[in-house]
Amino acid sequence: MPVGGMSVVLFGLGLILPTATVLALEHFNTASGLASSLIGAFHMLIGGSAAGLLSLMFDGSYLMMIAAIAIAALVASAITVANDPKDPATERNTQ
């Protein structure tokens, strides 16, 4: 991936991640600090694990990074669809 392409990806992440974090934390009134720290811990855990796995499979090209980003996007999409708030079976009590 050229440098310009990666810049677009990182720009998009810079727009999406803070907004997603705020939306996730709005349901935790009294434990928002704990929820925020868990979000940060999971970001670091998943990022470090992915970097370690990708370093083992590095072949000198960008293909593994592109594949990892695509797989992460598919997993995130599947989790989002599985937790559809419009489905009464997965609706959570937020009070």
Side-chain angles (χ1 to χ4, degrees):
M1 179 180 284
V3 174
M6 187 60 90
S7 297
V8 171
V9 170
L10 292 176
F11 178 77
L13 286 175
L15 292 175
I16 293 169
L17 287 179
T19 306
T21 302
V22 168
L23 291 174
L25 291 176
E26 76 179 14
H27 299 292
F28 297 96
N29 295 331
T30 58
S32 60
L34 175 65
S36 177
S37 66
L38 286 174
I39 289 173
F42 282 122
H43 278 186
M44 292 296 145
L45 179 68
I46 292 169
S49 301
L53 288 173
L54 286 173
S55 70
L56 295 175
M57 298 182 279
F58 183 67
D59 61 355
S61 70
Y62 291 111
L63 293 178
M64 283 310 204
M65 180 61 78
I66 294 169
I69 291 171
I71 290 170
L74 289 174
V75 169
S77 297
I79 290 170
T80 302
V81 169
N83 290 320
D84 185 11
K86 295 176 187 157
D87 184 9
T90 61
E91 190 171 326
R92 295 183 184 97
N93 184 5
T94 59
Q95 299 174 0

